[in-house]
Amino acid sequence: MESSQENLFDQAMSRYQAGADAAEILPLFIQITEAAPRQSAGWTCLAWLQLLCEQPEEALRSARFAVKLNPQDPQARINLSLALLETDSKGVRDHIQVVQQVLTMAPEVSDDLKGALEDGMQRRPGWKALEKVKTWLNL
């Protein structure tokens, strides 16, 4: 069962990376998180897709769960920061500071984060919250 979930995750990621629309991939990640609720990567991806589809309340729930499962994941923290900004919630600074600490201790992750942020800007042009986070992180 676990390998079929990994396979579904890999297939969904491949489709996304090939340029599939976020709204098309979103149901797959809902299915992935329902089948493997303790997999932080699934929740991180789901939150990102929900943000791209302008579902900030749903993204906030997913991102909070992703951070709870893996507090050191900088992408999960970025997603949570974005969802907090888009829902006018408090706590953004704390998550940005954690991402900055991770980038200081593991600078090799900055290229992946830059790529994700650029992807977000292309898929959702004019995304104000993402522009703020990108500036704060100096990426």
Side-chain angles (χ1 to χ4, degrees):
M1 179 73 172
E2 189 173 301
S3 67
S4 67
Q5 286 308 312
E6 289 174 21
N7 192 26
L8 181 59
F9 181 89
D10 291 341
Q11 287 174 8
M13 284 299 297
S14 293
R15 286 179 58 194
Y16 178 82
Q17 291 167 344
D21 188 67
E24 177 185 323
I25 307 294
L26 185 63
L28 294 174
F29 277 96
I30 291 171
Q31 181 182 347
I32 289 165
T33 56
E34 287 173 351
R38 307 298 298 163
Q39 182 194 50
S40 65
W43 288 103
T44 301
C45 292
L46 178 59
W48 180 252
L49 293 168
Q50 289 166 328
L51 287 162
L52 288 173
C53 293
E54 299 185 40
Q55 300 175 0
E57 295 292 336
E58 294 87 344
L60 184 58
R61 283 190 294 277
S62 298
R64 280 188 170 140
F65 203 67
V67 168
K68 182 180 178 183
L69 290 171
N70 187 358
Q72 298 306 311
D73 181 352
Q75 184 64 54
R77 294 277 183 166
I78 287 172
N79 294 350
L80 182 51
S81 297
L82 291 166
L84 289 167
L85 283 169
E86 292 198 352
T87 58
D88 293 322
S89 300
K90 296 187 184 319
V92 176
R93 183 182 306 160
D94 294 339
H95 298 291
I96 294 296
Q97 288 173 340
V98 171
V99 174
Q100 289 169 330
Q101 291 169 353
V102 170
L103 289 171
T104 300
M105 302 201 25
E108 66 277 5
V109 302
S110 71
D111 287 342
D112 289 340
L113 292 178
K114 281 181 192 175
L117 298 181
E118 289 302 321
D119 176 69
M121 295 302 291
Q122 289 176 357
R123 289 179 183 258
R124 190 174 161 191
W127 189 358
K128 298 286 186 222
L130 186 60
E131 290 170 3
K132 284 181 183 179
V133 168
K134 190 175 175 186
T135 300
W136 292 334
L137 293 175
N138 210 13
L139 291 175

